[in-house]
Amino acid sequence: MSDYDFLYDHQEETTTRFVCFVGNALHRFDLAIMTTTRYYGKKLVIDLQSGRSAVIGPDDLAEEGYLEHVFKINEEQAAELNEFLSQIIGSIHFTDI
């Protein structure tokens, strides 16, 4: 392992919520939502169908076009995903202070 210049190498126990739902637009969302002490309290959201992932907090959900861009979904699908994620993302906690 001496050939690597590690910026960090950290292990921790995380909580992962697996959820599958279909919205009114009939788009199926298969998500893994990981809670960790990293990312300033934001959650790691992984779309299991596409493999796309993003670290998401309430500020990201408020940014217009963010979910469409990250997950490559249309505006209607993003609105449904935003509605769901808004219920579970929560506020940002700065644990490094």
Side-chain angles (χ1 to χ4, degrees):
M1 286 206 178
S2 62
D3 293 342
Y4 299 105
D5 291 328
F6 289 101
L7 299 178
Y8 61 83
D9 184 0
H10 177 83
Q11 290 184 347
E12 70 173 90
E13 295 290 325
T14 62
T15 302
T16 306
R17 177 180 176 182
F18 295 94
V19 63
C20 177
F21 69 94
V22 177
N24 292 331
L26 300 179
H27 179 82
R28 178 178 167 162
F29 292 95
D30 288 298
L31 306 173
I33 303 161
M34 186 177 297
T35 303
T36 174
T37 61
R38 303 186 71 78
Y39 312 122
Y40 303 104
K42 293 184 177 188
K43 297 190 187 301
L44 176 60
V45 179
I46 305 163
D47 178 346
L48 297 173
Q49 290 184 24
S50 69
R52 292 182 178 91
S53 63
V55 176
I56 299 178
D59 56 329
D60 302 304
L61 293 177
E63 186 175 329
E64 187 174 329
Y66 180 75
L67 293 177
E68 292 95 316
H69 173 73
V70 170
F71 293 110
K72 306 292 185 228
I73 54 179
N74 67 39
E75 190 175 327
E76 185 179 16
Q77 295 164 342
E80 291 179 341
L81 181 57
N82 191 320
E83 182 180 336
F84 172 75
L85 291 176
S86 293
Q87 298 173 32
I88 61 167
I89 291 296
S91 60
I92 296 175
H93 302 285
F94 292 98
T95 57
D96 293 345
I97 299 176

